[in-house]
Amino acid sequence: MQLPNLERLFINRYQTVTVTAYCVLVALPSLIFPHPIALLPLAVIPLGLLFILRKPFVVCLIFILFSFFRLHEVFPQLDPLKIPLLTALASYFVLAWHIFLTEKVKVYWRHEHTIFARFFGWVVLGIAFSSYPPAAFGAFTSVYMKIGIMVLAISWMMTEHWHFKLVHFMIICSGLAVGAVTLYNNANGIGMVEETRVTIPGTSLGDPNDLSLVLSFPMSYAVAYASTKGTGKFRTLLGLTGIIVFVSSIIATQSRGGLLATVAVFGIFGLRKIKSKLLLISIGSFALMILVAAAGISDRKSGGAAEDGIDESAMGRIHAWEAAFNMALRNPMTGVGLDLFLDNYWDYATHSRAEGKAHVTHSTWFQVMSESGFVGFGLFGFMIFTVFMSIRGSLKRLDQNKGTPEYDPHISAIAAGTYAGLVGFCVSGTFLSQGFLWPVYIITAISIAIANYTDNHFPREQDQ
Protein backbone atom coordinates (compact mmCIF):
# COMPACT_ATOMS: atom_id res chain seq x y z
CA MET A 1 0.00 0.00 0.00
CA GLN A 2 2.94 2.30 0.39
CA LEU A 3 3.83 2.36 -3.32
CA PRO A 4 0.50 3.83 -4.50
CA ASN A 5 0.71 6.46 -1.79
CA LEU A 6 4.20 7.43 -2.97
CA GLU A 7 3.02 7.61 -6.56
CA ARG A 8 0.06 9.77 -5.55
CA LEU A 9 2.35 12.04 -3.55
CA PHE A 10 4.70 12.38 -6.51
CA ILE A 11 1.83 13.23 -8.87
CA ASN A 12 0.43 15.79 -6.44
CA ARG A 13 3.83 17.43 -6.05
CA TYR A 14 4.31 17.44 -9.83
CA GLN A 15 0.96 19.12 -10.34
CA THR A 16 1.66 21.62 -7.56
CA VAL A 17 5.03 22.58 -9.03
CA THR A 18 3.53 22.90 -12.51
CA VAL A 19 0.67 25.12 -11.37
CA THR A 20 3.00 27.25 -9.23
CA ALA A 21 5.44 27.77 -12.07
CA TYR A 22 2.63 28.72 -14.40
CA CYS A 23 1.21 31.24 -11.88
CA VAL A 24 4.65 32.83 -11.58
CA LEU A 25 4.84 33.12 -15.36
CA VAL A 26 1.41 34.72 -15.40
CA ALA A 27 2.44 37.25 -12.75
CA LEU A 28 5.71 38.34 -14.40
CA PRO A 29 4.18 40.11 -17.45
CA SER A 30 1.89 42.12 -15.16
CA LEU A 31 4.90 43.35 -13.17
CA ILE A 32 6.87 44.23 -16.30
CA PHE A 33 3.96 45.58 -18.33
CA PRO A 34 1.04 46.50 -15.98
CA HIS A 35 -1.81 46.09 -18.44
CA PRO A 36 -4.51 43.38 -18.72
CA ILE A 37 -3.53 42.68 -22.33
CA ALA A 38 -0.23 41.26 -21.06
CA LEU A 39 -2.14 38.29 -19.66
CA LEU A 40 -3.73 37.30 -22.96
CA PRO A 41 -0.77 35.38 -24.45
CA LEU A 42 -0.33 33.28 -21.31
CA ALA A 43 -4.06 32.63 -21.17
CA VAL A 44 -3.91 30.73 -24.48
CA ILE A 45 -0.70 28.84 -23.70
CA PRO A 46 -2.50 25.82 -22.16
CA LEU A 47 -4.79 25.58 -25.20
CA GLY A 48 -1.86 25.94 -27.57
CA LEU A 49 0.16 23.35 -25.71
CA LEU A 50 -2.80 20.96 -25.75
CA PHE A 51 -3.21 21.49 -29.51
CA ILE A 52 0.43 20.90 -30.46
CA LEU A 53 0.55 17.76 -28.31
CA ARG A 54 -2.67 16.36 -29.83
CA LYS A 55 -1.95 17.44 -33.42
CA PRO A 56 1.85 17.36 -33.77
CA PHE A 57 1.80 16.85 -37.53
CA VAL A 58 -0.26 20.01 -38.08
CA VAL A 59 2.40 22.07 -36.30
CA CYS A 60 5.10 20.46 -38.41
CA LEU A 61 3.11 21.13 -41.60
CA ILE A 62 2.64 24.82 -40.74
CA PHE A 63 6.39 25.19 -40.32
CA ILE A 64 7.03 23.52 -43.69
CA LEU A 65 4.50 25.69 -45.52
CA PHE A 66 5.88 28.93 -44.09
CA SER A 67 9.47 27.85 -44.78
CA PHE A 68 8.84 26.74 -48.35
CA PHE A 69 6.34 29.36 -49.53
CA ARG A 70 7.75 32.16 -47.32
CA LEU A 71 4.21 33.14 -46.38
CA HIS A 72 5.39 35.46 -43.60
CA GLU A 73 7.36 37.40 -46.22
CA VAL A 74 4.67 37.36 -48.89
CA PHE A 75 2.19 38.63 -46.29
CA PRO A 76 4.36 40.91 -44.08
CA GLN A 77 1.47 41.36 -41.62
CA LEU A 78 2.31 37.83 -40.40
CA ASP A 79 5.99 38.53 -39.82
CA PRO A 80 5.65 39.98 -36.25
CA LEU A 81 4.00 36.72 -35.15
CA LYS A 82 7.28 34.83 -35.78
CA ILE A 83 5.33 31.81 -36.97
CA PRO A 84 8.31 29.96 -38.55
CA LEU A 85 10.37 30.27 -35.37
CA LEU A 86 7.53 29.28 -33.05
CA THR A 87 6.39 26.35 -35.17
CA ALA A 88 10.00 25.18 -35.56
CA LEU A 89 10.46 25.10 -31.78
CA ALA A 90 7.05 23.48 -31.33
CA SER A 91 7.90 20.85 -33.96
CA TYR A 92 11.14 19.89 -32.22
CA PHE A 93 9.32 19.77 -28.87
CA VAL A 94 6.42 17.57 -29.99
CA LEU A 95 8.74 15.31 -31.97
CA ALA A 96 10.85 14.62 -28.88
CA TRP A 97 7.77 14.41 -26.65
CA HIS A 98 6.01 11.78 -28.76
CA ILE A 99 9.17 9.77 -29.49
CA PHE A 100 10.58 9.50 -25.98
CA LEU A 101 7.57 9.98 -23.66
CA THR A 102 4.29 8.96 -25.29
CA GLU A 103 5.88 6.81 -28.04
CA LYS A 104 3.03 7.84 -30.35
CA VAL A 105 5.54 8.68 -33.09
CA LYS A 106 6.98 5.39 -34.27
CA VAL A 107 10.54 5.84 -35.45
CA TYR A 108 11.42 3.74 -38.49
CA TRP A 109 14.32 3.70 -40.88
CA ARG A 110 14.17 3.01 -44.62
CA HIS A 111 16.69 2.76 -47.41
CA GLU A 112 15.74 6.28 -48.50
CA HIS A 113 16.67 7.59 -45.05
CA THR A 114 20.12 6.03 -45.38
CA ILE A 115 20.77 7.59 -48.78
CA PHE A 116 19.65 11.01 -47.53
CA ALA A 117 21.75 10.64 -44.36
CA ARG A 118 24.87 9.89 -46.41
CA PHE A 119 24.56 13.09 -48.40
CA PHE A 120 23.58 15.14 -45.36
CA GLY A 121 26.51 13.73 -43.37
CA TRP A 122 28.92 14.49 -46.21
CA VAL A 123 27.77 18.11 -46.32
CA VAL A 124 28.27 18.38 -42.55
CA LEU A 125 31.73 16.84 -42.85
CA GLY A 126 32.59 19.31 -45.60
CA ILE A 127 32.07 22.22 -43.21
CA ALA A 128 35.35 21.40 -41.44
CA PHE A 129 37.22 21.39 -44.77
CA SER A 130 35.47 24.39 -46.32
CA SER A 131 37.21 27.55 -47.42
CA TYR A 132 35.73 29.45 -44.47
CA PRO A 133 34.25 27.10 -41.80
CA PRO A 134 32.47 29.80 -39.70
CA ALA A 135 30.38 30.92 -42.68
CA ALA A 136 29.62 27.35 -43.73
CA PHE A 137 28.61 26.46 -40.17
CA GLY A 138 26.37 29.54 -40.01
CA ALA A 139 24.59 28.44 -43.19
CA PHE A 140 24.21 24.97 -41.72
CA THR A 141 22.64 26.11 -38.45
CA SER A 142 20.36 28.70 -40.07
CA VAL A 143 18.78 26.48 -42.75
CA TYR A 144 20.31 23.11 -43.53
CA MET A 145 20.17 21.70 -40.00
CA LYS A 146 16.44 22.45 -39.90
CA ILE A 147 16.04 20.69 -43.23
CA GLY A 148 17.74 17.57 -41.88
CA ILE A 149 15.52 17.47 -38.80
CA MET A 150 12.32 18.13 -40.71
CA VAL A 151 12.98 15.42 -43.30
CA LEU A 152 12.92 12.93 -40.43
CA ALA A 153 10.01 14.66 -38.68
CA ILE A 154 7.77 14.67 -41.77
CA SER A 155 8.53 11.08 -42.72
CA TRP A 156 7.92 9.84 -39.15
CA MET A 157 4.84 11.94 -38.37
CA MET A 158 3.07 11.64 -41.73
CA THR A 159 1.48 8.24 -41.18
CA GLU A 160 -2.31 8.59 -41.18
CA HIS A 161 -4.65 8.91 -44.13
CA TRP A 162 -5.84 12.40 -43.16
CA HIS A 163 -2.22 13.58 -43.01
CA PHE A 164 -1.79 12.98 -46.73
CA LYS A 165 -5.10 14.63 -47.60
CA LEU A 166 -4.23 17.67 -45.47
CA VAL A 167 -0.73 18.03 -46.96
CA HIS A 168 -2.10 17.85 -50.50
CA PHE A 169 -4.80 20.41 -49.77
CA MET A 170 -2.61 22.86 -47.84
CA ILE A 171 0.22 22.84 -50.38
CA ILE A 172 -2.23 23.88 -53.09
CA CYS A 173 -3.86 26.53 -50.88
CA SER A 174 -0.47 27.99 -49.89
CA GLY A 175 0.59 28.01 -53.51
CA LEU A 176 -2.63 29.76 -54.49
CA ALA A 177 -1.89 32.48 -51.93
CA VAL A 178 1.54 33.08 -53.48
CA GLY A 179 0.12 32.83 -56.99
CA ALA A 180 -2.60 35.38 -56.22
CA VAL A 181 -0.01 37.89 -54.97
CA THR A 182 2.09 37.21 -58.07
CA LEU A 183 -0.80 37.91 -60.44
CA TYR A 184 -1.78 41.01 -58.43
CA ASN A 185 1.77 42.36 -58.66
CA ASN A 186 1.85 41.63 -62.37
CA ALA A 187 -1.44 43.42 -62.97
CA ASN A 188 -0.32 46.48 -60.99
CA GLY A 189 3.32 46.60 -62.10
CA ILE A 190 4.67 45.84 -58.62
CA GLY A 191 8.08 44.25 -58.18
CA MET A 192 8.88 44.06 -61.88
CA VAL A 193 12.46 43.29 -62.89
CA GLU A 194 13.80 43.86 -66.39
CA GLU A 195 10.52 45.81 -66.87
CA THR A 196 8.45 42.72 -67.78
CA ARG A 197 9.20 39.97 -65.22
CA VAL A 198 7.09 39.82 -62.07
CA THR A 199 8.45 39.06 -58.58
CA ILE A 200 7.36 39.51 -54.98
CA PRO A 201 9.74 42.24 -53.79
CA GLY A 202 11.22 42.30 -50.32
CA THR A 203 11.02 38.52 -49.99
CA SER A 204 13.08 35.45 -50.82
CA LEU A 205 10.94 35.27 -53.97
CA GLY A 206 12.39 38.50 -55.34
CA ASP A 207 13.96 36.53 -58.19
CA PRO A 208 11.46 35.50 -60.89
CA ASN A 209 13.23 32.17 -61.38
CA ASP A 210 12.94 31.25 -57.70
CA LEU A 211 9.30 32.33 -57.74
CA SER A 212 8.55 30.10 -60.71
CA LEU A 213 10.11 27.09 -58.97
CA VAL A 214 8.02 27.65 -55.84
CA LEU A 215 4.88 27.85 -57.98
CA SER A 216 5.70 24.76 -60.04
CA PHE A 217 5.60 22.51 -56.96
CA PRO A 218 1.93 23.13 -55.98
CA MET A 219 1.07 23.07 -59.68
CA SER A 220 1.96 19.37 -59.80
CA TYR A 221 -0.44 18.72 -56.91
CA ALA A 222 -3.16 20.78 -58.59
CA VAL A 223 -2.85 18.71 -61.76
CA ALA A 224 -3.00 15.57 -59.61
CA TYR A 225 -6.33 16.70 -58.11
CA ALA A 226 -7.76 17.59 -61.51
CA SER A 227 -6.70 14.33 -63.19
CA THR A 228 -7.46 11.81 -60.42
CA LYS A 229 -11.01 10.47 -60.26
CA GLY A 230 -12.59 9.93 -56.88
CA THR A 231 -11.12 12.84 -54.93
CA GLY A 232 -14.41 14.74 -54.98
CA LYS A 233 -15.86 17.64 -56.99
CA PHE A 234 -14.50 20.29 -54.64
CA ARG A 235 -10.91 19.05 -54.93
CA THR A 236 -11.25 18.67 -58.70
CA LEU A 237 -12.43 22.27 -58.93
CA LEU A 238 -9.60 23.36 -56.63
CA GLY A 239 -7.12 21.56 -58.88
CA LEU A 240 -8.47 23.22 -62.03
CA THR A 241 -8.37 26.64 -60.34
CA GLY A 242 -4.82 25.95 -59.22
CA ILE A 243 -3.71 25.01 -62.74
CA ILE A 244 -5.00 28.31 -64.12
CA VAL A 245 -3.40 30.39 -61.35
CA PHE A 246 -0.04 28.58 -61.33
CA VAL A 247 0.44 28.46 -65.09
CA SER A 248 -0.56 32.13 -65.40
CA SER A 249 1.84 33.09 -62.61
CA ILE A 250 4.75 31.14 -64.10
CA ILE A 251 4.08 32.74 -67.48
CA ALA A 252 4.22 36.16 -65.76
CA THR A 253 7.69 35.40 -64.35
CA GLN A 254 9.00 34.78 -67.91
CA SER A 255 11.26 32.08 -66.47
CA ARG A 256 12.49 29.65 -69.09
CA GLY A 257 13.20 27.08 -66.38
CA GLY A 258 9.69 27.54 -65.03
CA LEU A 259 8.14 26.98 -68.45
CA LEU A 260 10.19 23.82 -68.94
CA ALA A 261 9.09 22.60 -65.51
CA THR A 262 5.46 23.26 -66.48
CA VAL A 263 5.79 21.15 -69.60
CA ALA A 264 7.60 18.44 -67.60
CA VAL A 265 4.85 18.30 -64.95
CA PHE A 266 2.08 18.01 -67.51
CA GLY A 267 4.21 15.54 -69.46
CA ILE A 268 4.36 13.18 -66.47
CA PHE A 269 0.58 13.16 -66.21
CA GLY A 270 0.39 12.83 -69.99
CA LEU A 271 2.48 9.66 -69.78
CA ARG A 272 -0.17 8.23 -67.46
CA LYS A 273 -2.99 9.02 -69.88
CA ILE A 274 -1.53 8.92 -73.42
CA LYS A 275 -0.07 5.66 -74.69
CA SER A 276 1.63 7.06 -77.81
CA LYS A 277 5.00 8.58 -76.90
CA LEU A 278 5.27 10.28 -80.30
CA LEU A 279 1.91 11.99 -79.80
CA LEU A 280 2.93 13.07 -76.32
CA ILE A 281 6.24 14.54 -77.53
CA SER A 282 4.40 16.41 -80.28
CA ILE A 283 1.86 17.82 -77.83
CA GLY A 284 4.62 18.79 -75.38
CA SER A 285 6.68 20.57 -78.05
CA PHE A 286 3.64 22.48 -79.28
CA ALA A 287 2.65 23.37 -75.71
CA LEU A 288 6.15 24.69 -74.98
CA MET A 289 6.02 26.95 -78.04
CA ILE A 290 2.63 28.27 -76.93
CA LEU A 291 3.92 28.94 -73.39
CA VAL A 292 7.04 30.71 -74.68
CA ALA A 293 4.92 32.91 -76.92
CA ALA A 294 2.41 33.61 -74.13
CA ALA A 295 5.21 34.50 -71.69
CA GLY A 296 6.76 36.92 -74.17
CA ILE A 297 10.27 35.53 -73.73
CA SER A 298 11.41 37.40 -76.82
CA ASP A 299 10.56 40.70 -75.08
CA ARG A 300 12.84 40.04 -72.09
CA LYS A 301 15.68 42.50 -71.49
CA SER A 302 18.03 39.57 -70.94
CA GLY A 303 17.60 36.43 -72.98
CA GLY A 304 15.17 38.10 -75.39
CA ALA A 305 15.16 38.39 -79.16
CA ALA A 306 16.95 41.76 -79.01
CA GLU A 307 20.25 40.11 -78.01
CA ASP A 308 22.37 38.55 -80.72
CA GLY A 309 24.29 35.29 -80.19
CA ILE A 310 24.60 34.08 -76.62
CA ASP A 311 22.56 36.46 -74.50
CA GLU A 312 23.80 38.03 -71.27
CA SER A 313 21.70 35.72 -69.10
CA ALA A 314 23.05 32.58 -70.76
CA MET A 315 26.63 33.87 -70.67
CA GLY A 316 26.32 34.60 -66.97
CA ARG A 317 25.25 30.99 -66.39
CA ILE A 318 28.13 29.67 -68.46
CA HIS A 319 30.62 31.71 -66.44
CA ALA A 320 29.05 30.52 -63.17
CA TRP A 321 29.10 26.87 -64.29
CA GLU A 322 32.75 27.14 -65.30
CA ALA A 323 33.61 28.56 -61.89
CA ALA A 324 31.59 25.82 -60.16
CA PHE A 325 33.36 23.07 -62.11
CA ASN A 326 36.74 24.56 -61.29
CA MET A 327 35.85 24.63 -57.58
CA ALA A 328 34.99 20.94 -57.69
CA LEU A 329 38.08 20.16 -59.77
CA ARG A 330 40.41 21.74 -57.21
CA ASN A 331 38.39 20.49 -54.21
CA PRO A 332 37.08 17.14 -55.49
CA MET A 333 36.21 15.61 -52.11
CA THR A 334 34.23 18.26 -50.22
CA GLY A 335 34.11 21.32 -52.49
CA VAL A 336 34.44 24.86 -51.16
CA GLY A 337 31.79 24.41 -48.45
CA LEU A 338 28.12 25.05 -47.81
CA ASP A 339 26.86 28.39 -49.17
CA LEU A 340 30.38 29.55 -50.11
CA PHE A 341 30.14 29.58 -53.91
CA LEU A 342 29.87 33.35 -54.25
CA ASP A 343 32.63 33.97 -51.69
CA ASN A 344 35.01 31.90 -53.84
CA TYR A 345 33.70 32.96 -57.24
CA TRP A 346 36.56 35.18 -58.38
CA ASP A 347 39.20 32.70 -57.23
CA TYR A 348 37.89 30.16 -59.76
CA ALA A 349 36.21 32.23 -62.50
CA THR A 350 37.70 32.00 -65.99
CA HIS A 351 36.68 35.52 -67.01
CA SER A 352 37.85 38.89 -65.75
CA ARG A 353 35.80 41.26 -63.64
CA ALA A 354 35.53 43.55 -66.67
CA GLU A 355 33.73 40.83 -68.65
CA GLY A 356 30.96 40.24 -66.16
CA LYS A 357 29.85 40.14 -62.53
CA ALA A 358 29.74 37.34 -60.01
CA HIS A 359 26.69 35.12 -60.41
CA VAL A 360 25.11 32.44 -58.29
CA THR A 361 25.43 29.02 -59.91
CA HIS A 362 21.94 29.13 -61.49
CA SER A 363 22.01 25.34 -61.36
CA THR A 364 21.27 22.95 -58.52
CA TRP A 365 23.66 20.39 -59.97
CA PHE A 366 26.61 22.76 -60.30
CA GLN A 367 25.85 24.27 -56.90
CA VAL A 368 26.04 20.86 -55.22
CA MET A 369 29.15 20.00 -57.21
CA SER A 370 30.98 23.19 -56.23
CA GLU A 371 29.97 23.24 -52.55
CA SER A 372 30.24 19.51 -51.74
CA GLY A 373 32.71 18.23 -54.35
CA PHE A 374 32.38 15.40 -56.84
CA VAL A 375 31.73 12.97 -53.99
CA GLY A 376 28.85 15.09 -52.69
CA PHE A 377 27.54 15.52 -56.23
CA GLY A 378 27.48 11.74 -56.66
CA LEU A 379 25.69 11.24 -53.34
CA PHE A 380 23.15 13.94 -54.21
CA GLY A 381 22.48 12.41 -57.63
CA PHE A 382 22.02 8.99 -56.07
CA MET A 383 19.61 10.48 -53.51
CA ILE A 384 17.51 11.98 -56.32
CA PHE A 385 17.55 8.65 -58.18
CA THR A 386 16.55 6.74 -55.02
CA VAL A 387 13.65 9.08 -54.27
CA PHE A 388 12.56 8.90 -57.92
CA MET A 389 12.50 5.10 -57.89
CA SER A 390 10.79 5.05 -54.49
CA ILE A 391 7.87 7.31 -55.42
CA ARG A 392 7.61 5.68 -58.83
CA GLY A 393 7.35 2.26 -57.19
CA SER A 394 4.72 3.49 -54.72
CA LEU A 395 2.65 5.03 -57.52
CA LYS A 396 2.86 1.87 -59.62
CA ARG A 397 1.67 -0.27 -56.71
CA LEU A 398 -1.20 2.13 -55.98
CA ASP A 399 -2.25 2.10 -59.64
CA GLN A 400 -2.47 -1.69 -59.54
CA ASN A 401 -5.40 -1.35 -57.13
CA LYS A 402 -7.52 0.74 -59.51
CA GLY A 403 -11.00 -0.68 -59.82
CA THR A 404 -10.74 -2.57 -56.53
CA PRO A 405 -12.26 -1.69 -53.13
CA GLU A 406 -8.71 -1.14 -51.81
CA TYR A 407 -8.00 1.68 -54.29
CA ASP A 408 -7.44 5.01 -52.54
CA PRO A 409 -7.66 8.01 -54.92
CA HIS A 410 -6.32 10.47 -52.33
CA ILE A 411 -3.06 8.57 -51.76
CA SER A 412 -2.72 8.01 -55.51
CA ALA A 413 -3.24 11.73 -56.14
CA ILE A 414 -0.54 12.90 -53.71
CA ALA A 415 1.84 10.20 -54.99
CA ALA A 416 1.31 11.34 -58.58
CA GLY A 417 1.72 14.98 -57.56
CA THR A 418 4.95 14.24 -55.69
CA TYR A 419 6.29 12.23 -58.63
CA ALA A 420 5.56 15.05 -61.06
CA GLY A 421 6.90 17.61 -58.59
CA LEU A 422 10.23 15.78 -58.41
CA VAL A 423 10.52 15.74 -62.20
CA GLY A 424 9.59 19.42 -62.34
CA PHE A 425 12.25 20.21 -59.73
CA CYS A 426 14.93 18.33 -61.67
CA VAL A 427 14.07 20.32 -64.81
CA SER A 428 13.72 23.79 -63.28
CA GLY A 429 16.50 23.08 -60.77
CA THR A 430 18.91 22.79 -63.68
CA PHE A 431 18.62 26.56 -63.97
CA LEU A 432 18.21 27.43 -60.26
CA SER A 433 20.40 27.09 -57.16
CA GLN A 434 18.17 24.97 -54.92
CA GLY A 435 20.50 22.17 -53.83
CA PHE A 436 20.51 23.14 -50.16
CA LEU A 437 17.03 24.68 -49.83
CA TRP A 438 13.63 23.20 -49.01
CA PRO A 439 12.02 21.97 -52.28
CA VAL A 440 13.84 18.70 -52.97
CA TYR A 441 13.95 17.75 -49.29
CA ILE A 442 10.21 18.23 -48.78
CA ILE A 443 9.68 16.01 -51.81
CA THR A 444 12.09 13.48 -50.30
CA ALA A 445 10.28 13.43 -46.94
CA ILE A 446 6.81 13.10 -48.52
CA SER A 447 8.09 10.34 -50.82
CA ILE A 448 9.42 8.38 -47.83
CA ALA A 449 6.13 8.82 -45.97
CA ILE A 450 4.15 7.62 -49.00
CA ALA A 451 6.44 4.60 -49.43
CA ASN A 452 6.04 3.69 -45.76
CA TYR A 453 2.24 4.10 -45.89
CA THR A 454 2.06 2.03 -49.08
CA ASP A 455 4.14 -0.76 -47.58
CA ASN A 456 1.89 -0.86 -44.51
CA HIS A 457 -1.48 -0.68 -46.29
CA PHE A 458 -0.76 -2.06 -49.79
CA PRO A 459 1.97 -4.67 -49.25
CA ARG A 460 3.64 -6.42 -52.17
CA GLU A 461 2.31 -9.83 -53.06
CA GLN A 462 5.45 -11.57 -51.77
CA ASP A 463 5.05 -9.75 -48.41
CA GLN A 464 1.49 -10.93 -47.89
Side-chain angles (χ1 to χ4, degrees):
M1 296 295 294
Q2 291 182 350
L3 185 58
N5 291 333
L6 289 174
E7 290 179 350
R8 192 178 300 110
L9 180 62
F10 174 77
I11 293 173
N12 290 337
R13 286 184 176 177
Y14 175 77
Q15 292 174 343
T16 302
V17 171
T18 302
V19 172
T20 303
Y22 186 74
C23 290
V24 171
L25 290 174
V26 170
L28 284 177
S30 300
L31 296 175
I32 299 172
F33 181 62
H35 194 282
I37 200 172
L39 301 176
L40 291 179
L42 283 171
V44 299
I45 285 179
L47 296 177
L49 186 60
L50 181 63
F51 175 78
I52 66 174
L53 290 177
R54 290 180 61 87
K55 302 292 183 182
F57 179 72
V58 176
V59 180
C60 176
L61 177 60
I62 293 173
F63 172 70
I64 292 299
L65 294 175
F66 272 80
S67 298
F68 181 81
F69 291 101
R70 313 306 296 174
L71 296 177
H72 55 295
E73 297 178 2
V74 175
F75 301 98
Q77 299 85 352
L78 299 175
D79 191 52
L81 300 178
K82 305 299 179 184
I83 294 177
L85 175 61
L86 294 176
T87 52
L89 295 175
S91 297
Y92 304 152
F93 170 72
V94 296
L95 183 63
W97 180 275
H98 287 300
I99 288 177
F100 298 110
L101 295 180
T102 68
E103 298 183 354
K104 288 184 178 180
V105 174
K106 304 299 181 183
V107 175
Y108 64 90
W109 196 262
R110 297 178 57 90
H111 174 64
E112 298 92 329
H113 283 123
T114 302
I115 303 305
F116 163 74
R118 288 174 182 171
F119 175 67
F120 184 85
W122 190 258
V123 173
V124 174
L125 179 65
I127 294 175
F129 300 96
S130 64
S131 60
Y132 188 54
F137 184 74
F140 171 74
T141 55
S142 63
V143 178
Y144 203 61
M145 181 178 69
K146 299 176 186 176
I147 288 175
I149 295 173
M150 296 312 293
V151 166
L152 297 177
I154 295 171
S155 61
W156 289 341
M157 290 185 182
M158 193 174 175
T159 55
E160 299 184 30
H161 186 267
W162 69 271
H163 292 166
F164 295 93
K165 293 176 65 175
L166 181 64
V167 167
H168 198 156
F169 179 77
M170 291 304 299
I171 285 177
I172 294 178
C173 290
S174 299
L176 284 173
V178 177
V181 173
T182 301
L183 293 178
Y184 176 84
N185 287 357
N186 186 59
N188 293 276
I190 300 172
M192 309 300 288
V193 299
E194 300 175 7
E195 297 183 7
T196 57
R197 307 182 66 188
V198 68
T199 67
I200 302 180
T203 73
S204 303
L205 306 179
D207 184 294
N209 297 310
D210 291 335
L211 178 57
S212 69
L213 175 63
V214 166
L215 292 169
S216 67
F217 183 55
M219 178 179 65
S220 65
Y221 284 114
V223 180
Y225 261 164
S227 62
T228 304
K229 295 181 180 179
T231 58
K233 293 181 179 179
F234 173 75
R235 288 181 172 81
T236 301
L237 179 61
L238 181 66
L240 292 173
T241 303
I243 290 173
I244 295 172
V245 172
F246 298 136
V247 173
S248 301
S249 300
I250 291 173
I251 287 175
T253 65
Q254 293 186 327
S255 170
R256 290 173 289 195
L259 297 179
L260 289 173
T262 301
V263 174
V265 166
F266 280 94
I268 290 299
F269 287 97
L271 281 173
R272 295 170 54 79
K273 302 291 184 181
I274 302 174
K275 301 300 181 182
S276 173
K277 303 298 187 291
L278 180 60
L279 177 60
L280 183 63
I281 293 173
S282 300
I283 294 174
S285 301
F286 180 72
L288 182 59
M289 289 189 294
I290 296 297
L291 287 173
V292 169
I297 297 295
S298 59
D299 298 328
R300 279 178 46 172
K301 287 285 185 178
S302 64
E307 296 183 87
D308 297 326
I310 301 178
D311 58 74
E312 181 182 350
S313 177
M315 184 55 68
R317 281 188 169 88
I318 292 173
H319 285 156
W321 294 350
E322 288 176 343
F325 183 77
N326 288 335
M327 290 180 195
L329 200 61
R330 287 167 58 179
N331 306 275
M333 296 298 291
T334 57
V336 297
L338 186 63
D339 200 34
L340 288 173
F341 174 82
L342 275 178
D343 292 337
N344 289 272
Y345 184 89
W346 290 113
D347 294 332
Y348 297 90
T350 57
H351 64 96
S352 66
R353 294 176 185 264
E355 296 175 0
K357 59 182 180 180
H359 290 273
V360 295
T361 50
H362 284 297
S363 169
T364 293
W365 317 107
F366 279 102
Q367 179 193 22
V368 172
M369 182 188 297
S370 63
E371 296 184 359
S372 64
F374 288 119
V375 176
F377 176 72
L379 292 172
F380 181 79
F382 189 57
M383 183 185 76
I384 296 293
F385 173 77
T386 301
V387 174
F388 178 85
M389 296 303 294
S390 174
I391 191 63
R392 184 172 178 266
S394 298
L395 185 58
K396 184 177 180 180
R397 206 182 326 164
L398 291 166
D399 286 342
Q400 291 173 350
N401 290 310
K402 279 187 176 180
T404 67
E406 292 78 20
Y407 176 67
D408 191 328
H410 296 285
I411 302 299
S412 293
I414 192 173
T418 305
Y419 182 50
L422 178 60
V423 174
F425 167 81
C426 291
V427 173
S428 61
T430 302
F431 307 97
L432 293 169
S433 306
Q434 295 285 330
F436 301 103
L437 297 178
W438 287 100
V440 66
Y441 301 101
I442 293 177
I443 294 172
T444 297
I446 294 176
S447 298
I448 296 173
I450 292 173
N452 183 65
Y453 185 89
T454 304
D455 285 347
N456 291 334
H457 294 80
F458 307 95
R460 299 179 180 87
E461 292 182 2
Q462 59 268 27
D463 297 336
Q464 294 179 345

